[in-house]
Amino acid sequence: MSPLLLFSFVIIYFLILLVVAWYTGRNSNNDSFFIGNRNSNWMLVAFGMIGTSLSGVTFVSVPGAVAKESFAYMQITLGYLIGYMVIAFVLLPLYYKLNLTSIYNYLSSRLGVNSYKTGASFFILSRTLGATARLYLVVRILQDAILESFHVPFWATTLIILAMILLYTYEGGVKTIVWTDTLQTSCMLIGLVICVVYILSQLDMGISESFAAMGDKGYSKIFFTEPESRFFFLKQILAGAFVTITMTGMDQEMMQKNISVKTLKDSQKNVVTLGFIMLAVIGLFLFLGGLLHLYADAQGIAATGDKLFPTIALNHMPSLVSVIFIIALISALFPSADGAITALTSSFCIDIIGLQRRDDWTDAQKKKIRQRVHLVFAGIFLLFVMVYKWIDSSSMIGVILKVAAYTYGPLLGLFTFGILLKRSVNDTLVPIVCIASPLICLMLDKFQKQIFGSFEIGLELLIINGAITFSGLMLISKKKNLHN
């Protein structure tokens, strides 16, 4: 299919998003931008969060990694389910009890202002690095598939995508995103199912036959029982649980959608439902990955990793399926990017500059500041996407999870300390502890062979990071009787 026709479908899809954004963003204010006026429907939030949780990286990287890692990612997904239960029944009751707009306000009331600012700063760093990595992968595919033929430079493609996202989130924020994410998740999942059905038909196989063929190739192994391996099932499940607790439960982007739901009970239903749906959806992505590798083997296609799915979809499938792939890919991109920019804007305005606490500013002034911050973060996204282009990793999901291990660890330590222990900390020393912990983990990771021998540290680096932060907070703490 010609790049011009593909681009036309992208524009039509984007115009539909603009119509939804216009309708949902009417009469919006800062409250609707930040938390959707606490009036979001839990079923819409749960369904839309599938797209936010998965992103274009999952859409491309998870299937592409099957040849090297088999179905090992399913072990992490089982851990996700445990993490969602902790979020639903430990963290959400806390957030609703305190009536939080930013979840990092909890750190302020429990540990102090420096702890609060540190937690918010690590979120901003974490989400910026993770979201721009996701954005880079999809922009790279769109560049190769469409805009390269128009001689549009990579930076301009990124700018176009960011401009699209800004246009439909600029006014409505969370209130708009809840609806646009629902639309985009639907498109992504429909595209996923169509691609699975098409490849099955091309391979002339049923589901059971394809699983048998994957088994023969070694693609379908789920549980790894070698303790020293980074894919050892206990490490993967435990790491998956903590990845979810931190990257969802301690992440303003994900939680601002949950706390936009009317009641705690509905918000808990949202999170638990999301956990079970994610099991099924990730399983389908892995199944697709196995099919893609079988198809590539049969057709002599040399593409691997993140390039496998785009290569097959755009060069070896009918034009209609290629269009469906591009729309599904964009549908996977937008929920992760739009929510990230909105959440980063919210966190910076509320946590860093204290927008809601400034009584000397009018609502109009606050809105203007929020919009300027929104634009600044779009510029930061452009910069970091260009950095990832320079790095050019073959598997971005590995990069994202590695970044999360370093940047979410201090958040894990801060929240765990605050929730589990009735101790106060020397608040001025908290930033030092939280910066030192990832640096220690960096050294452990770099020299792990010398320190641990054949034992490989994988995603559990996040847990180690959180434990070091927790230990550091213990060293600068003392007993205190809390009454809240």
Side-chain angles (χ1 to χ4, degrees), residues 13-25 44-45 47-49 51-52 164-165 167-169 172-188 257 330-339 342:
Y13 176 76
F14 172 65
L15 290 174
I16 294 171
L17 284 181
L18 276 184
V19 171
V20 174
W22 170 81
Y23 184 79
T24 58
L44 288 178
V45 173
F47 189 70
M49 280 180 68
T52 308
M164 289 178 171
I165 293 168
L167 277 173
Y168 76 83
T169 61
V174 171
K175 184 179 177 183
T176 293
I177 285 171
V178 167
W179 287 95
T180 55
D181 280 5
T182 300
L183 170 64
Q184 292 169 135
T185 300
S186 299
C187 293
M188 181 185 70
K257 295 174 184 178
I330 295 172
S331 298
L333 159 68
F334 279 169
S336 60
D338 61 17
T342 301

Side-chain angles (χ1 to χ4, degrees), residues 45-59 62 73 80 84 87 127 134 181 185 188 243-244 247-249 253-255 257-258 270-271 274-275 277-278 281-282 285 331-339 397 400-401:
V45 173
F47 189 70
M49 280 180 68
I50 298 169
T52 308
S53 302
L54 295 177
S55 81
V57 172
T58 311
F59 199 81
V62 170
Y73 197 72
Y80 287 171
Y84 284 124
I87 293 168
R127 183 48 69 177
R134 295 178 175 94
D181 280 5
T185 300
M188 181 185 70
V243 164
T244 298
M247 293 184 70
T248 299
E253 177 186 352
M254 302 299 287
M255 284 296 100
K257 295 174 184 178
N258 279 287
N270 158 41
V271 171
L274 176 63
I277 292 174
M278 284 288 286
V281 173
I282 292 293
F285 271 109
S331 298
L333 159 68
F334 279 169
S336 60
D338 61 17
I397 195 164
I400 289 169
L401 291 174

